Short mmCIF file of all heavy atoms in Angstrom, two decimals:
data_model
loop_
_atom_site.label_atom_id
_atom_site.label_comp_id
_atom_site.label_asym_id
_atom_site.label_seq_id
_atom_site.Cartn_x
_atom_site.Cartn_y
_atom_site.Cartn_z
N MET A 81 0.83 -1.21 0.02
CA MET A 81 -0.01 0.00 0.00
C MET A 81 0.87 1.27 0.05
O MET A 81 1.99 1.13 0.41
CB MET A 81 -0.93 -0.06 1.22
CG MET A 81 -2.01 0.97 1.19
SD MET A 81 -3.29 0.51 0.01
CE MET A 81 -4.25 1.97 0.12
N LEU A 82 0.32 2.36 -0.39
CA LEU A 82 1.11 3.58 -0.44
C LEU A 82 1.48 4.25 0.82
O LEU A 82 2.40 5.07 0.90
CB LEU A 82 0.25 4.59 -1.25
CG LEU A 82 -0.12 4.25 -2.64
CD1 LEU A 82 -1.07 5.27 -3.22
CD2 LEU A 82 1.17 4.14 -3.55
N GLY A 83 0.89 3.78 1.89
CA GLY A 83 1.07 4.47 3.22
C GLY A 83 0.14 5.65 3.36
O GLY A 83 0.36 6.47 4.31
N LEU A 84 -0.88 5.76 2.56
CA LEU A 84 -1.82 6.84 2.69
C LEU A 84 -2.71 6.49 3.79
O LEU A 84 -2.94 5.36 4.10
CB LEU A 84 -2.59 7.02 1.34
CG LEU A 84 -1.77 7.36 0.11
CD1 LEU A 84 -2.56 7.34 -1.17
CD2 LEU A 84 -1.09 8.66 0.26
N ASN A 85 -3.26 7.50 4.40
CA ASN A 85 -4.13 7.29 5.61
C ASN A 85 -5.55 6.92 5.27
O ASN A 85 -6.13 7.61 4.39
CB ASN A 85 -4.10 8.53 6.50
CG ASN A 85 -2.70 8.81 7.10
OD1 ASN A 85 -2.05 7.88 7.40
ND2 ASN A 85 -2.33 10.07 7.15
N ALA A 86 -6.08 5.88 5.89
CA ALA A 86 -7.45 5.50 5.66
C ALA A 86 -8.42 6.61 5.98
O ALA A 86 -8.22 7.40 6.95
CB ALA A 86 -7.76 4.32 6.48
N GLY A 87 -9.34 6.85 5.10
CA GLY A 87 -10.39 7.88 5.32
C GLY A 87 -9.97 9.24 4.75
O GLY A 87 -10.84 10.18 4.68
N SER A 88 -8.71 9.43 4.38
CA SER A 88 -8.29 10.68 3.82
C SER A 88 -8.73 10.70 2.32
O SER A 88 -8.71 9.70 1.60
CB SER A 88 -6.80 10.78 3.80
OG SER A 88 -6.30 10.92 5.17
N GLU A 89 -9.07 11.89 1.85
CA GLU A 89 -9.42 12.07 0.50
C GLU A 89 -8.22 11.95 -0.41
O GLU A 89 -7.18 12.53 -0.11
CB GLU A 89 -10.10 13.44 0.23
CG GLU A 89 -10.51 13.68 -1.22
CD GLU A 89 -11.11 15.13 -1.39
OE1 GLU A 89 -11.32 15.80 -0.42
OE2 GLU A 89 -11.37 15.45 -2.56
N LEU A 90 -8.32 11.14 -1.49
CA LEU A 90 -7.27 10.98 -2.44
C LEU A 90 -7.41 11.94 -3.63
O LEU A 90 -8.58 12.13 -4.10
CB LEU A 90 -7.16 9.49 -2.92
CG LEU A 90 -6.92 8.48 -1.85
CD1 LEU A 90 -6.88 7.11 -2.56
CD2 LEU A 90 -5.67 8.72 -1.11
N VAL A 91 -6.35 12.51 -4.04
CA VAL A 91 -6.43 13.42 -5.24
C VAL A 91 -5.32 12.99 -6.16
O VAL A 91 -4.15 12.79 -5.69
CB VAL A 91 -6.23 14.94 -4.74
CG1 VAL A 91 -6.15 15.83 -5.99
CG2 VAL A 91 -7.27 15.36 -3.76
N PHE A 92 -5.65 12.85 -7.43
CA PHE A 92 -4.71 12.48 -8.45
C PHE A 92 -4.27 13.65 -9.27
O PHE A 92 -5.10 14.54 -9.53
CB PHE A 92 -5.33 11.38 -9.40
CG PHE A 92 -5.59 10.05 -8.69
CD1 PHE A 92 -6.81 9.88 -7.99
CD2 PHE A 92 -4.74 8.99 -8.80
CE1 PHE A 92 -7.03 8.66 -7.39
CE2 PHE A 92 -4.94 7.84 -8.23
CZ PHE A 92 -6.10 7.65 -7.44
N SER A 93 -3.11 13.59 -9.70
CA SER A 93 -2.56 14.70 -10.61
C SER A 93 -1.69 14.07 -11.67
O SER A 93 -1.32 12.92 -11.62
CB SER A 93 -1.76 15.81 -9.83
OG SER A 93 -0.70 15.16 -9.21
N ILE A 94 -1.50 14.81 -12.74
CA ILE A 94 -0.71 14.31 -13.89
C ILE A 94 0.29 15.45 -14.37
O ILE A 94 -0.13 16.62 -14.35
CB ILE A 94 -1.59 13.83 -14.96
CG1 ILE A 94 -0.88 13.13 -16.09
CG2 ILE A 94 -2.42 14.93 -15.54
CD1 ILE A 94 -1.71 12.34 -17.12
N GLU A 95 1.45 14.96 -14.80
CA GLU A 95 2.39 15.77 -15.42
C GLU A 95 2.54 15.37 -16.93
O GLU A 95 2.51 14.13 -17.16
CB GLU A 95 3.73 15.73 -14.80
CG GLU A 95 3.72 16.24 -13.35
CD GLU A 95 5.10 16.05 -12.69
OE1 GLU A 95 6.17 16.13 -13.40
OE2 GLU A 95 5.11 15.85 -11.45
N ASN A 96 2.67 16.21 -17.79
CA ASN A 96 2.91 15.98 -19.25
C ASN A 96 1.79 15.23 -19.91
O ASN A 96 2.05 14.33 -20.73
CB ASN A 96 4.24 15.27 -19.46
CG ASN A 96 5.45 16.05 -18.90
OD1 ASN A 96 5.52 17.19 -19.13
ND2 ASN A 96 6.27 15.43 -18.06
N LYS A 97 0.55 15.58 -19.57
CA LYS A 97 -0.62 14.95 -20.21
C LYS A 97 -0.70 15.34 -21.64
O LYS A 97 -0.54 16.47 -22.01
CB LYS A 97 -1.90 15.43 -19.48
CG LYS A 97 -3.23 14.87 -20.04
CD LYS A 97 -4.41 15.42 -19.27
CE LYS A 97 -4.71 16.87 -19.66
NZ LYS A 97 -5.07 17.12 -21.00
N PRO A 98 -0.91 14.37 -22.52
CA PRO A 98 -1.20 14.69 -23.97
C PRO A 98 -2.35 15.65 -24.09
O PRO A 98 -3.32 15.50 -23.37
CB PRO A 98 -1.42 13.30 -24.56
CG PRO A 98 -0.78 12.33 -23.65
CD PRO A 98 -0.93 12.93 -22.25
N ASP A 99 -2.28 16.49 -25.02
CA ASP A 99 -3.34 17.55 -25.25
C ASP A 99 -4.74 16.91 -25.47
O ASP A 99 -5.75 17.36 -25.08
CB ASP A 99 -3.04 18.44 -26.41
CG ASP A 99 -1.91 19.35 -26.04
OD1 ASP A 99 -1.63 19.57 -24.84
OD2 ASP A 99 -1.25 19.85 -27.03
N TRP A 100 -4.76 15.73 -26.20
CA TRP A 100 -5.95 15.02 -26.52
C TRP A 100 -6.54 14.17 -25.40
O TRP A 100 -7.62 13.72 -25.52
CB TRP A 100 -5.76 14.13 -27.75
CG TRP A 100 -4.60 13.19 -27.63
CD1 TRP A 100 -3.29 13.43 -28.07
CD2 TRP A 100 -4.51 11.94 -26.86
NE1 TRP A 100 -2.50 12.42 -27.70
CE2 TRP A 100 -3.22 11.45 -27.02
CE3 TRP A 100 -5.41 11.21 -26.21
CZ2 TRP A 100 -2.80 10.30 -26.39
CZ3 TRP A 100 -5.11 10.03 -25.60
CH2 TRP A 100 -3.75 9.58 -25.73
N ALA A 101 -5.77 14.05 -24.38
CA ALA A 101 -6.28 13.19 -23.24
C ALA A 101 -7.11 13.92 -22.21
O ALA A 101 -6.93 15.14 -22.04
CB ALA A 101 -5.04 12.56 -22.61
N ASN A 102 -7.92 13.18 -21.56
CA ASN A 102 -8.69 13.62 -20.43
C ASN A 102 -8.18 12.94 -19.15
O ASN A 102 -7.68 11.78 -19.24
CB ASN A 102 -10.16 13.27 -20.48
CG ASN A 102 -10.76 13.94 -21.80
OD1 ASN A 102 -10.67 15.10 -21.95
ND2 ASN A 102 -11.36 13.06 -22.64
N PHE A 103 -8.17 13.68 -18.01
CA PHE A 103 -7.62 13.06 -16.79
C PHE A 103 -8.57 13.35 -15.65
O PHE A 103 -8.96 14.56 -15.42
CB PHE A 103 -6.23 13.61 -16.49
CG PHE A 103 -5.65 13.02 -15.25
CD1 PHE A 103 -5.12 11.66 -15.28
CD2 PHE A 103 -5.56 13.69 -14.07
CE1 PHE A 103 -4.59 11.05 -14.22
CE2 PHE A 103 -4.98 13.10 -12.99
CZ PHE A 103 -4.50 11.82 -13.03
N ASP A 104 -8.98 12.31 -14.95
CA ASP A 104 -9.97 12.54 -13.83
C ASP A 104 -9.21 12.57 -12.51
O ASP A 104 -8.51 11.60 -12.09
CB ASP A 104 -10.93 11.28 -13.76
CG ASP A 104 -12.03 11.45 -12.76
OD1 ASP A 104 -11.74 11.96 -11.62
OD2 ASP A 104 -13.11 11.08 -13.08
N THR A 105 -9.15 13.70 -11.84
CA THR A 105 -8.42 13.92 -10.62
C THR A 105 -9.00 13.19 -9.36
O THR A 105 -8.40 13.08 -8.38
CB THR A 105 -8.24 15.42 -10.27
OG1 THR A 105 -9.63 15.94 -10.09
CG2 THR A 105 -7.50 16.11 -11.30
N THR A 106 -10.24 12.66 -9.57
CA THR A 106 -10.85 11.85 -8.49
C THR A 106 -10.43 10.33 -8.65
O THR A 106 -10.21 9.74 -7.61
CB THR A 106 -12.37 11.99 -8.55
OG1 THR A 106 -12.71 13.41 -8.41
CG2 THR A 106 -13.01 11.24 -7.42
N THR A 107 -10.40 9.84 -9.81
CA THR A 107 -10.13 8.37 -10.04
C THR A 107 -8.70 8.10 -10.57
O THR A 107 -8.24 6.99 -10.42
CB THR A 107 -11.14 7.80 -11.01
OG1 THR A 107 -10.91 8.39 -12.31
CG2 THR A 107 -12.58 8.01 -10.54
N GLY A 108 -8.04 9.04 -11.15
CA GLY A 108 -6.77 8.83 -11.77
C GLY A 108 -6.83 8.27 -13.18
O GLY A 108 -5.87 7.89 -13.72
N LYS A 109 -8.07 8.24 -13.76
CA LYS A 109 -8.25 7.66 -15.07
C LYS A 109 -7.78 8.58 -16.16
O LYS A 109 -8.18 9.79 -16.20
CB LYS A 109 -9.72 7.33 -15.29
CG LYS A 109 -9.98 6.69 -16.68
CD LYS A 109 -11.45 6.40 -16.85
CE LYS A 109 -11.80 5.77 -18.15
NZ LYS A 109 -13.16 5.44 -18.27
N LEU A 110 -6.94 8.09 -17.01
CA LEU A 110 -6.43 8.83 -18.19
C LEU A 110 -7.06 8.21 -19.42
O LEU A 110 -6.98 6.98 -19.58
CB LEU A 110 -4.88 8.68 -18.32
CG LEU A 110 -4.25 9.33 -19.46
CD1 LEU A 110 -4.34 10.84 -19.46
CD2 LEU A 110 -2.71 8.93 -19.46
N SER A 111 -7.77 8.97 -20.22
CA SER A 111 -8.50 8.41 -21.37
C SER A 111 -8.55 9.47 -22.46
O SER A 111 -8.20 10.66 -22.28
CB SER A 111 -9.97 8.13 -20.95
OG SER A 111 -10.68 9.23 -20.48
N GLY A 112 -8.98 9.03 -23.62
CA GLY A 112 -9.19 9.96 -24.74
C GLY A 112 -8.87 9.30 -26.01
O GLY A 112 -8.48 8.20 -26.09
N THR A 113 -8.96 10.04 -27.12
CA THR A 113 -8.87 9.59 -28.49
C THR A 113 -7.75 10.45 -29.08
O THR A 113 -7.96 11.61 -29.28
CB THR A 113 -10.14 9.63 -29.34
OG1 THR A 113 -11.14 8.86 -28.62
CG2 THR A 113 -9.87 9.07 -30.71
N PRO A 114 -6.67 9.84 -29.43
CA PRO A 114 -5.52 10.60 -30.04
C PRO A 114 -5.96 11.17 -31.42
O PRO A 114 -6.77 10.58 -32.12
CB PRO A 114 -4.42 9.62 -30.22
CG PRO A 114 -4.76 8.48 -29.37
CD PRO A 114 -6.24 8.47 -29.18
N THR A 115 -5.46 12.37 -31.75
CA THR A 115 -5.82 13.02 -33.01
C THR A 115 -4.74 12.88 -34.11
O THR A 115 -5.02 13.05 -35.21
CB THR A 115 -6.11 14.50 -32.75
OG1 THR A 115 -5.05 15.07 -32.11
CG2 THR A 115 -7.37 14.61 -31.90
N THR A 116 -3.51 12.60 -33.62
CA THR A 116 -2.43 12.44 -34.55
C THR A 116 -1.44 11.40 -34.06
O THR A 116 -1.41 11.13 -32.81
CB THR A 116 -1.57 13.75 -34.77
OG1 THR A 116 -1.11 14.21 -33.56
CG2 THR A 116 -2.42 14.84 -35.43
N ALA A 117 -0.63 10.86 -34.87
CA ALA A 117 0.42 9.89 -34.55
C ALA A 117 1.53 10.63 -33.76
O ALA A 117 1.78 11.79 -34.05
CB ALA A 117 0.94 9.11 -35.71
N GLY A 118 2.17 9.89 -32.87
CA GLY A 118 3.39 10.52 -32.20
C GLY A 118 3.57 9.84 -30.86
O GLY A 118 2.80 8.96 -30.43
N THR A 119 4.58 10.33 -30.16
CA THR A 119 4.93 9.79 -28.86
C THR A 119 4.83 10.85 -27.78
O THR A 119 5.30 11.98 -28.03
CB THR A 119 6.37 9.20 -28.87
OG1 THR A 119 6.43 8.13 -29.86
CG2 THR A 119 6.80 8.68 -27.47
N HIS A 120 4.13 10.55 -26.74
CA HIS A 120 4.00 11.45 -25.56
C HIS A 120 4.78 10.81 -24.40
O HIS A 120 4.45 9.85 -23.92
CB HIS A 120 2.45 11.57 -25.20
CG HIS A 120 1.67 11.91 -26.51
ND1 HIS A 120 1.56 13.22 -26.88
CD2 HIS A 120 1.00 11.17 -27.37
CE1 HIS A 120 0.77 13.29 -28.00
NE2 HIS A 120 0.51 12.07 -28.26
N SER A 121 5.78 11.56 -24.07
CA SER A 121 6.82 10.98 -23.15
C SER A 121 6.78 11.69 -21.73
O SER A 121 6.21 12.70 -21.59
CB SER A 121 8.19 11.14 -23.63
OG SER A 121 8.37 10.49 -24.91
N ASN A 122 7.35 10.93 -20.80
CA ASN A 122 7.56 11.44 -19.42
C ASN A 122 6.30 11.85 -18.71
O ASN A 122 6.15 12.89 -18.05
CB ASN A 122 8.49 12.65 -19.43
CG ASN A 122 9.22 12.85 -18.13
OD1 ASN A 122 9.44 11.92 -17.37
ND2 ASN A 122 9.45 14.18 -17.81
N ILE A 123 5.21 10.99 -18.95
CA ILE A 123 3.94 11.17 -18.27
C ILE A 123 4.06 10.64 -16.86
O ILE A 123 4.52 9.49 -16.68
CB ILE A 123 2.83 10.51 -19.06
CG1 ILE A 123 2.74 11.08 -20.43
CG2 ILE A 123 1.51 10.70 -18.29
CD1 ILE A 123 1.88 10.18 -21.39
N VAL A 124 3.66 11.34 -15.87
CA VAL A 124 3.73 10.92 -14.50
C VAL A 124 2.44 11.21 -13.75
O VAL A 124 1.86 12.29 -13.85
CB VAL A 124 4.82 11.71 -13.63
CG1 VAL A 124 4.86 11.26 -12.18
CG2 VAL A 124 6.17 11.43 -14.35
N ILE A 125 1.82 10.16 -13.22
CA ILE A 125 0.56 10.23 -12.42
C ILE A 125 0.94 10.10 -10.96
O ILE A 125 1.67 9.18 -10.53
CB ILE A 125 -0.47 9.19 -12.83
CG1 ILE A 125 -0.91 9.50 -14.29
CG2 ILE A 125 -1.70 9.23 -11.90
CD1 ILE A 125 -1.80 8.45 -14.90
N THR A 126 0.38 10.99 -10.10
CA THR A 126 0.65 11.02 -8.71
C THR A 126 -0.69 10.96 -7.94
O THR A 126 -1.68 11.64 -8.36
CB THR A 126 1.45 12.35 -8.27
OG1 THR A 126 2.64 12.36 -9.06
CG2 THR A 126 1.72 12.39 -6.78
N VAL A 127 -0.76 10.28 -6.84
CA VAL A 127 -1.86 10.29 -5.94
C VAL A 127 -1.38 10.81 -4.55
O VAL A 127 -0.33 10.50 -4.12
CB VAL A 127 -2.54 8.81 -5.79
CG1 VAL A 127 -1.49 7.85 -5.19
CG2 VAL A 127 -3.81 8.91 -4.97
N SER A 128 -2.25 11.63 -4.04
CA SER A 128 -1.85 12.31 -2.67
C SER A 128 -3.02 12.36 -1.78
O SER A 128 -4.21 12.33 -2.23
CB SER A 128 -1.46 13.73 -2.97
OG SER A 128 -0.39 13.80 -3.87
N ASP A 129 -2.74 12.35 -0.48
CA ASP A 129 -3.77 12.65 0.55
C ASP A 129 -3.20 13.84 1.26
O ASP A 129 -2.23 14.45 0.73
CB ASP A 129 -4.16 11.50 1.41
CG ASP A 129 -3.01 11.07 2.35
OD1 ASP A 129 -1.99 11.73 2.45
OD2 ASP A 129 -3.18 10.04 3.01
N GLU A 130 -3.68 14.21 2.36
CA GLU A 130 -3.19 15.46 3.02
C GLU A 130 -1.85 15.24 3.70
O GLU A 130 -1.22 16.25 4.17
CB GLU A 130 -4.23 15.98 4.03
CG GLU A 130 -4.54 14.99 5.13
CD GLU A 130 -5.65 15.44 5.99
OE1 GLU A 130 -5.52 16.46 6.73
OE2 GLU A 130 -6.70 14.84 5.95
N PHE A 131 -1.35 14.03 3.72
CA PHE A 131 -0.05 13.72 4.43
C PHE A 131 1.08 13.28 3.54
O PHE A 131 2.25 13.49 3.83
CB PHE A 131 -0.31 12.73 5.52
CG PHE A 131 -1.40 13.03 6.49
CD1 PHE A 131 -2.70 12.53 6.40
CD2 PHE A 131 -1.12 14.02 7.49
CE1 PHE A 131 -3.67 12.91 7.30
CE2 PHE A 131 -2.16 14.33 8.34
CZ PHE A 131 -3.40 13.80 8.28
N VAL A 132 0.80 12.52 2.49
CA VAL A 132 1.79 11.89 1.71
C VAL A 132 1.38 11.74 0.18
O VAL A 132 0.20 11.75 -0.12
CB VAL A 132 2.13 10.44 2.32
CG1 VAL A 132 0.99 9.49 2.16
CG2 VAL A 132 3.35 9.89 1.76
N SER A 133 2.32 11.58 -0.65
CA SER A 133 2.03 11.35 -2.07
C SER A 133 2.93 10.15 -2.64
O SER A 133 3.97 9.88 -2.08
CB SER A 133 2.15 12.57 -2.87
OG SER A 133 3.47 12.98 -2.91
N SER A 134 2.45 9.61 -3.68
CA SER A 134 3.21 8.53 -4.42
C SER A 134 2.93 8.70 -5.88
O SER A 134 1.79 9.02 -6.30
CB SER A 134 2.75 7.21 -3.87
OG SER A 134 3.52 6.14 -4.46
N SER A 135 4.04 8.47 -6.68
CA SER A 135 3.90 8.55 -8.09
C SER A 135 4.25 7.31 -8.85
O SER A 135 5.14 6.59 -8.45
CB SER A 135 4.90 9.71 -8.60
OG SER A 135 4.58 10.92 -8.02
N LEU A 136 3.63 7.12 -9.96
CA LEU A 136 3.99 6.04 -10.89
C LEU A 136 5.41 6.44 -11.52
O LEU A 136 5.70 7.63 -11.61
CB LEU A 136 3.03 5.91 -12.02
CG LEU A 136 1.66 5.36 -11.66
CD1 LEU A 136 0.75 5.41 -12.94
CD2 LEU A 136 1.69 3.98 -11.11
N ASN A 137 6.09 5.46 -12.00
CA ASN A 137 7.23 5.73 -12.79
C ASN A 137 6.80 6.45 -14.06
O ASN A 137 5.69 6.15 -14.55
CB ASN A 137 8.01 4.48 -13.16
CG ASN A 137 8.70 3.82 -11.99
OD1 ASN A 137 9.04 4.47 -11.03
ND2 ASN A 137 8.78 2.53 -12.04
N ALA A 138 7.56 7.31 -14.57
CA ALA A 138 7.29 8.05 -15.82
C ALA A 138 7.04 6.97 -16.99
O ALA A 138 7.73 5.96 -17.02
CB ALA A 138 8.40 9.00 -16.25
N PHE A 139 6.11 7.26 -17.85
CA PHE A 139 5.85 6.35 -18.95
C PHE A 139 5.47 7.15 -20.17
O PHE A 139 5.38 8.38 -20.11
CB PHE A 139 4.62 5.36 -18.63
CG PHE A 139 3.32 6.09 -18.35
CD1 PHE A 139 2.33 6.20 -19.40
CD2 PHE A 139 3.05 6.59 -17.09
CE1 PHE A 139 1.12 6.83 -19.20
CE2 PHE A 139 1.72 7.19 -16.88
CZ PHE A 139 0.84 7.30 -17.88
N GLU A 140 5.37 6.42 -21.27
CA GLU A 140 5.07 7.08 -22.57
C GLU A 140 3.92 6.38 -23.29
O GLU A 140 3.66 5.22 -22.99
CB GLU A 140 6.33 7.21 -23.45
CG GLU A 140 6.80 5.86 -24.03
CD GLU A 140 7.99 6.01 -24.85
OE1 GLU A 140 8.71 7.05 -24.85
OE2 GLU A 140 8.31 5.03 -25.62
N ILE A 141 3.19 7.17 -24.06
CA ILE A 141 2.19 6.63 -24.88
C ILE A 141 2.61 6.77 -26.39
O ILE A 141 2.84 7.95 -26.78
CB ILE A 141 0.86 7.32 -24.66
CG1 ILE A 141 0.40 7.16 -23.24
CG2 ILE A 141 -0.24 6.84 -25.63
CD1 ILE A 141 -0.82 7.93 -22.86
N LYS A 142 2.66 5.74 -27.14
CA LYS A 142 2.98 5.78 -28.55
C LYS A 142 1.72 5.59 -29.32
O LYS A 142 1.01 4.60 -29.14
CB LYS A 142 4.00 4.64 -28.97
CG LYS A 142 5.36 4.90 -28.34
CD LYS A 142 6.33 3.90 -28.82
CE LYS A 142 7.73 4.12 -28.17
NZ LYS A 142 8.65 3.12 -28.60
N VAL A 143 1.41 6.49 -30.21
CA VAL A 143 0.19 6.47 -31.10
C VAL A 143 0.62 6.24 -32.52
O VAL A 143 1.46 7.03 -33.05
CB VAL A 143 -0.57 7.82 -30.91
CG1 VAL A 143 -1.79 7.76 -31.87
CG2 VAL A 143 -1.02 8.11 -29.48
N ASN A 144 0.21 5.20 -33.06
CA ASN A 144 0.48 4.80 -34.49
C ASN A 144 -0.57 5.44 -35.41
O ASN A 144 -1.70 5.62 -35.03
CB ASN A 144 0.51 3.31 -34.72
CG ASN A 144 1.71 2.71 -33.91
OD1 ASN A 144 2.77 3.27 -33.71
ND2 ASN A 144 1.44 1.54 -33.30
N SER A 145 -0.19 5.62 -36.64
CA SER A 145 -1.11 6.10 -37.68
C SER A 145 -2.09 5.01 -37.96
O SER A 145 -1.78 3.78 -37.97
CB SER A 145 -0.41 6.39 -38.98
OG SER A 145 0.49 7.50 -38.74
N ALA A 146 -3.37 5.36 -38.24
CA ALA A 146 -4.38 4.40 -38.66
C ALA A 146 -4.03 3.90 -39.98
O ALA A 146 -3.49 4.58 -40.85
CB ALA A 146 -5.73 5.04 -38.73
N THR A 147 -4.31 2.61 -40.16
CA THR A 147 -4.01 2.04 -41.50
C THR A 147 -5.22 1.76 -42.36
O THR A 147 -6.30 1.67 -41.84
CB THR A 147 -3.31 0.64 -41.30
OG1 THR A 147 -4.07 -0.20 -40.53
CG2 THR A 147 -1.92 0.88 -40.66
#
């Protein structure tokens, strides 16, 4: 577990979100439909409560052209 305190409100945040993506700060869900091919790098999602935070390792999303 993250070490977050039970009963504390969790808040999610994101760094380097692709422009076409949506991000829900309540659930941490990243979704959307890419509009162009390309690579979106160094994306980091963090969850925090009022005492501590924890982040995923940075990741990338590669979008290929439709065939």
Side-chain angles (χ1 to χ4, degrees):
M81 189 74 187
L82 299 172
L84 300 174
N85 294 323
S88 295
E89 179 182 354
L90 300 179
V91 178
F92 293 85
S93 60
I94 189 169
E95 295 176 32
N96 302 313
K97 179 183 72 65
D99 291 338
W100 50 262
N102 300 306
F103 185 74
D104 187 319
T105 59
T106 302
T107 65
K109 181 179 178 179
L110 178 64
S111 62
T113 303
T115 54
T116 58
T119 301
H120 307 277
S121 300
N122 203 31
I123 301 167
V124 178
I125 296 176
T126 301
V127 61
S128 304
D129 67 8
E130 60 186 292
F131 302 103
V132 67
S133 65
S134 184
S135 299
L136 292 175
N137 291 331
F139 63 95
E140 68 182 16
I141 298 173
K142 292 183 181 180
V143 178
N144 297 323
S145 297
T147 56

